[in-house]
Amino acid sequence: MSLKHRLVIADKEQLETKTKEMLKNFFKISHFKGNTQELMSFLKDGDFLWIRLEHYLDQPFFSKCPNIRCILTNTTGLTHINEEMAAKRKIKIFNLNPEDKLLDQISSTSDHSVGLFYNLVRNINLATHDVSKGNWDRSKFKGRQIDSLTIGIIGFGRVGKKINSQLKYSVKGVLFFDVEEVSFPNDQLNLEKVSNLGNLLSRSDVIFICTKEQDNRVSVVNKDNINKIKKGAYLINTSRGSLMDFDACYQALLENNLSGLAIDVYEGEERGHMLHKSVLNSVYKHNLIITPHLAGNTKEAWELSEKVVAEKLINFIN
């Protein structure tokens, strides 16, 4: 088959080898490492574009590149792409969605969430940093025993269910809240579905935000309900930055109403916004963990998620 299409991979890293093998008979693959402004000049009419989270595609991009064929991204969210502008130009977008059964094999986000959980409740980051300064003082870092804790999961979808599976035998109990009707294991004795978010916030020792982004981008944990959180609880967000009012949660941490806060996402990251320097400087002063959207960033997750998107692309051109 002749190579009729150009597929531009706009990311610091190439596609996984298995993905390139799938696509090489259909596309001439070009790897682009520049910024978004340079990408707009690099693209040609009819190109297929594959991005991850390196680029934010909004009005300037679509005005400059109105005739690319398709945008591909092996991500579940599309906060880095203006879907309305793409639709106006009839540019197809392929990403990951809950119907993709292969995603059930990916545990990377729940793995990361659980890792943050253990790190927070045992003060591992704080203690490690203190030792690096030449100290050896365990008295400052008294943690919590896992089987004494009740965890609360906001959003009992794929990731929420996996967190439950990974922790259900270790923790005292699991609460979950979801605005949608979801299936759950009725035979798990320490699992409880709560009727409202306030109930979960007030009873949970550790809270995981796992729900999908709200249509109106309203935070599920914000200044209006932060005071409902059980004093001394820990809060973890690996879902979407817009789901948490970071300023309100950070203030709760500073005032010791939260014992720990961990985020893998924050509002505005897709547009290149960075957290205030005062926040970044406080990481080792408070039990605060910030990771740069690492939750899904594993070799296994990339291979599987790229396979899903690549298959959609091949079906599209055929």
Side-chain angles (χ1 to χ4, degrees):
M1 178 182 291
S2 61
L3 300 175
K4 298 180 180 179
H5 310 289
R6 186 172 78 147
L7 174 61
V8 176
I9 313 301
D11 193 81
K12 291 177 182 176
E13 297 189 57
Q14 267 285 13
L15 294 178
E16 294 292 319
T17 301
K18 291 180 180 179
T19 311
K20 288 191 286 187
E21 285 296 314
M22 288 178 64
L23 296 171
K24 69 179 183 180
N25 290 330
F26 302 94
F27 296 93
K28 178 181 179 181
I29 299 176
S30 178
H31 189 199
F32 178 83
K33 294 184 180 181
N35 61 37
T36 305
Q37 195 68 34
E38 294 165 337
L39 175 63
M40 291 189 289
S41 299
F42 182 79
L43 290 171
K44 301 174 182 177
D45 288 354
D47 277 349
F48 291 71
L49 173 64
W50 191 308
I51 62 172
R52 294 188 182 101
L53 298 174
E54 291 287 318
H55 300 279
Y56 179 59
L57 309 186
D58 59 354
Q59 193 275 331
F61 175 86
F62 288 106
S63 295
K64 178 78 172 179
C65 306
N67 297 315
I68 59 173
R69 287 278 306 278
C70 182
I71 298 170
L72 306 110
T73 178
N74 53 310
T75 61
T76 50
L78 291 173
T79 55
H80 54 307
I81 302 171
N82 189 311
E83 296 178 75
E84 183 179 350
M85 291 182 180
K88 283 182 179 179
R89 290 159 177 80
K90 295 182 171 55
I91 298 172
K92 187 74 174 174
I93 300 174
F94 290 114
N95 70 314
L96 307 173
N97 58 63
E99 288 72 41
D100 296 322
K101 297 301 181 183
L102 204 60
L103 295 186
D104 290 338
Q105 299 177 35
I106 298 176
S107 64
S108 299
T109 300
S110 58
D111 292 345
H112 192 68
S113 302
V114 171
L116 293 173
F117 160 69
Y118 281 112
N119 197 321
L120 281 182
V121 301
R122 295 309 305 267
N123 298 299
I124 292 172
N125 262 23
L126 287 175
T128 300
H129 180 66
D130 197 57
V131 170
S132 75
K133 296 191 295 183
N135 300 319
W136 193 261
D137 181 5
R138 71 176 189 168
S139 65
K140 295 183 289 187
F141 306 109
K142 187 176 291 182
R144 298 293 305 276
Q145 187 163 297
I146 304 304
D147 63 6
S148 72
L149 301 174
T150 295
I151 66 170
I153 301 172
I154 304 174
F156 208 63
R158 178 177 63 88
V159 174
K161 286 183 171 71
K162 285 188 178 296
I163 290 173
N164 172 58
S165 295
Q166 289 173 276
L167 289 176
K168 63 183 179 181
Y169 296 118
S170 303
V171 298
K172 180 180 180 181
V174 181
L175 309 175
F176 78 90
F177 171 75
D178 203 306
V179 294
E180 299 179 1
E181 287 296 322
V182 294
S183 61
F184 61 95
N186 291 306
D187 58 345
Q188 184 180 326
L189 297 180
N190 69 344
L191 177 66
E192 178 186 345
K193 179 182 180 181
V194 298
S195 59
N196 61 77
L197 180 58
N199 187 311
L200 181 144
L201 296 178
S202 65
R203 295 171 56 196
S204 302
D205 298 299
V206 184
I207 300 164
F208 294 88
I209 299 177
C210 303
T211 190
K212 62 185 179 182
E213 187 166 53
Q214 309 300 295
D215 291 337
N216 53 5
R217 295 178 72 88
V218 170
S219 302
V220 295
V221 178
N222 51 54
K223 60 182 176 60
D224 295 325
N225 62 16
I226 190 75
N227 291 330
K228 293 181 180 179
I229 292 181
K230 184 177 183 179
K231 186 172 176 60
Y234 303 83
L235 179 61
I236 299 166
N237 183 14
T238 56
S239 184
R240 295 286 178 266
S242 64
L243 294 171
M244 187 184 82
D245 181 339
F246 178 80
D247 290 341
C249 295
Y250 180 63
Q251 189 61 36
L253 178 69
L254 297 183
E255 295 173 356
N256 296 317
N257 291 319
L258 286 177
S259 291
L261 174 62
I263 63 168
D264 187 53
V265 289
Y266 70 92
E267 178 75 347
E269 63 170 287
E270 68 276 4
R271 296 185 293 278
H273 297 172
M274 194 60 184
L275 291 165
H276 195 275
K277 192 173 181 179
S278 62
V279 174
L280 301 178
N281 289 340
S282 72
V283 167
Y284 292 121
K285 298 175 185 175
H286 305 282
N287 198 9
L288 171 65
I289 302 174
I290 303 170
T291 54
H293 213 128
L294 289 181
N297 189 30
T298 66
K299 177 178 174 58
E300 293 80 6
W302 278 26
E303 284 184 350
L304 284 168
S305 61
E306 285 180 4
K307 182 176 188 293
V308 170
V309 175
E311 287 176 347
K312 292 179 181 182
L313 175 58
I314 291 170
N315 290 335
F316 174 68
I317 63 172
N318 286 335

